[in-house]
Amino acid sequence: MLYIIGLGLGEQDISLRALEIARKADRIYLENYTSPFLGSLKKLQKIIGKKILLADRDLVEINTDEILQKAKKQRVVFFVVGDAFSATTHVDLVLRAKEQKIKTEILHNASILTAVAESGLSLYKFGKIASIPFLVKGWLVDTPYDILKENKNAHTLFLLDLRPEEKMFMTSKQAIEFLLEVEKRRGGRLFSEETVCVICCALGTKKQKILYGKAKDLVKKTLRAFPQVLIIPGKLHFVEKEFLETFKI
Amino acid sequence: MLYIIGLGLGEQDISLRALEIARKADRIYLENYTSPFLGSLKKLQKIIGKKILLADRDLVEINTDEILQKAKKQRVVFFVVGDAFSATTHVDLVLRAKEQKIKTEILHNASILTAVAESGLSLYKFGKIASIPFLVKGWLVDTPYDILKENKNAHTLFLLDLRPEEKMFMTSKQAIEFLLEVEKRRGGRLFSEETVCVICCALGTKKQKILYGKAKDLVKKTLRAFPQVLIIPGKLHFVEKEFLETFKI
């Protein structure tokens, strides 16, 4: 049996049901590379009363069979930060388990994808989600810009790259510079220093911070809470506008 | 102090942190009209050790001040099914609290908006979300169709109307008939009986069911688990396709 369990965003977002399952588990992994666990691993282990094994990219994406083999005979819990299916790699894991006739159960939890509603922007009005990767020299990545274009008057959420194991997190400043760079090259008049944006830092945690303003003013802010996301709002309803104003810099 | 706390989808999705806050609260409301609480209220009250007051539409949208007045002096918990900000009305409540300088804290939890990932469809590729209302005779509602059109090759999630207090839930069959009706009138060639759709019932609960197939075949299925949502997939990645196939009828 394989349980994919979302841990949510904050330190104690784990649910009662998740706790119950984890306490009976034979083996517990915590996937820690697509999104960082912001709480204390020690504390979590104490609450559950069991050791938690950190699962790195190699284990999850290359040695997947190690996890699946265990799940054939034992109760295996696979903790994920945020919601259970936030990253493609977790969907993949379940698909492989299904192929091998391993029973799976998914437990959902808070996700950055809905926590962005704290900005006051309606979740119903977001378009496709874009990911901005760390720039590799000589490598042009236009996808985020293309998605912004495609989303038209829908809000666009940009998830920013991170490498928790190396403590590397993209800043919203880098994300804005990324978009300005693509704009310069493409000239689609989609983004400029005057574009009004929203930045959310460490959503769902005690360090949470939301800022609203023009790109040129936002890049001047030093923000030390991570992960960060950037939103370019589309057409605004007046209630959305009113809420956003409470975060104006 | 006003806490808006998401209860998630399943019976025991409440988080440890939410439990801790609720146990110290002076007053606890459960908003029960935008989305139904599928667990046992009695059980929840027992776990918390406190009485929970059901908040109907009138209390939340008209007599909002009653809640806010209490929150000025006491610790008030406002439970919401799903995530805390799934409905506009909860965002409104926080906005009003802010205006009155009442401290607020939001606790996120599982939402139908991310639980739809269990279908295998990538959350990154959903466009705007549409709501299909119960049809009032002589009233034409084209918005869901317009959103489907606007979303182009993005996936479109349709949330179906519900009135938990009257135990009325729109079925996916009704939703499909709704779209066929609009198609007939508009003739935009966006939707037909041949259109491939996904239906998700009672996501995140033990009664969960997912079906994938053509509209004409899906309408023949009798599905008794609620709430239900309808998804019209856009352009599919092969992994999404492979996962969907596991739900083929």
Side-chain angles (χ1 to χ4, degrees), chain B:
Chain B
M1 181 85 187
L2 178 63
Y3 297 90
I4 315 279
I5 300 182
L7 283 181
L9 303 166
E11 174 148 24
Q12 288 196 293
D13 277 359
I14 186 170
S15 72
L16 292 189
R17 171 123 180 83
L19 196 60
E20 196 183 289
I21 291 169
R23 281 180 177 156
K24 289 184 198 156
D26 299 302
R27 182 172 278 256
I28 306 175
Y29 295 102
L30 168 61
E31 188 276 278
N32 198 30
Y33 70 90
T34 62
S35 194
F37 180 58
L38 298 173
S40 150
L41 184 64
K42 216 170 142 186
K43 227 185 206 169
L44 186 61
Q45 289 184 130
K46 208 175 154 191
I47 294 172
I48 296 172
K50 291 209 166 142
K51 206 172 166 249
I52 296 174
L53 309 163
L54 288 181
D56 61 10
R57 189 182 295 269
D58 277 1
L59 177 67
V60 181
E61 295 182 6
I62 300 168
N63 304 317
T64 321
D65 268 339
E66 189 186 318
I67 300 173
L68 295 180
Q69 283 308 317
K70 298 282 178 198
K72 273 186 186 164
K73 291 173 192 165
Q74 298 185 314
R75 276 186 253 238
V76 174
V77 163
F78 189 81
F79 279 140
V80 172
V81 179
D83 192 17
F85 271 9
S86 329
T88 326
T89 169
H90 311 138
V91 183
D92 251 6
L93 185 63
V94 171
L95 189 56
R96 294 219 211 165
K98 280 187 174 199
E99 281 164 8
Q100 298 190 30
K101 310 229 180 298
I102 297 164
K103 258 189 93 176
T104 56
E105 192 175 325
I106 320 291
L107 268 78
H108 297 281
N109 208 323
S111 164
I112 191 102
L113 305 189
T114 56
V116 291
E118 288 217 31
S119 63
L121 292 170
S122 165
L123 295 175
Y124 292 18
K125 292 184 178 167
F126 277 80
K128 280 191 190 172
I129 295 166
S131 299
I132 300 187
F134 285 121
L135 269 183
V136 179
K137 243 192 160 151
W139 201 276
L140 300 179
V141 181
D142 282 23
T143 326
Y145 189 86
D146 291 331
I147 290 176
L148 176 63
K149 188 175 176 183
E150 200 182 325
N151 280 345
K152 283 187 184 158
N153 58 26
H155 309 319
T156 304
L157 168 64
F158 296 90
L159 301 175
L160 312 189
D161 207 356
L162 44 85
R163 291 182 200 149
E165 286 161 345
E166 298 162 47
K167 299 208 186 305
M168 265 177 76
F169 293 92
M170 184 181 287
T171 62
S172 44
K173 184 174 186 282
Q174 287 173 297
I176 288 171
E177 285 164 355
F178 177 101
L179 289 172
L180 286 173
E181 189 61 36
V182 187
E183 175 63 55
K184 214 167 134 188
R185 196 155 35 76
R186 296 273 299 267
R189 291 195 187 174
L190 289 176
F191 191 75
S192 79
E193 289 190 328
E194 302 296 321
T195 303
V196 168
C197 310
V198 183
I199 292 172
C200 306
C201 310
L203 273 182
T205 77
K206 282 175 186 166
K207 290 179 182 168
Q208 171 173 314
K209 206 166 177 153
I210 300 174
L211 293 99
Y212 169 62
K214 287 185 178 174
K216 66 178 177 191
D217 300 319
L218 289 170
V219 290
K220 287 176 200 152
K221 297 279 170 188
T222 309
L223 301 164
R224 292 202 176 82
F226 295 97
Q228 298 179 0
V229 300
L230 176 72
I231 304 167
I232 302 183
K235 204 174 154 192
L236 291 172
H237 184 268
F238 75 92
V239 177
E240 290 178 296
K241 178 93 181 132
E242 204 182 329
F243 207 113
L244 276 179
E245 289 291 336
T246 67
F247 302 116
K248 200 167 185 177
I249 55 165

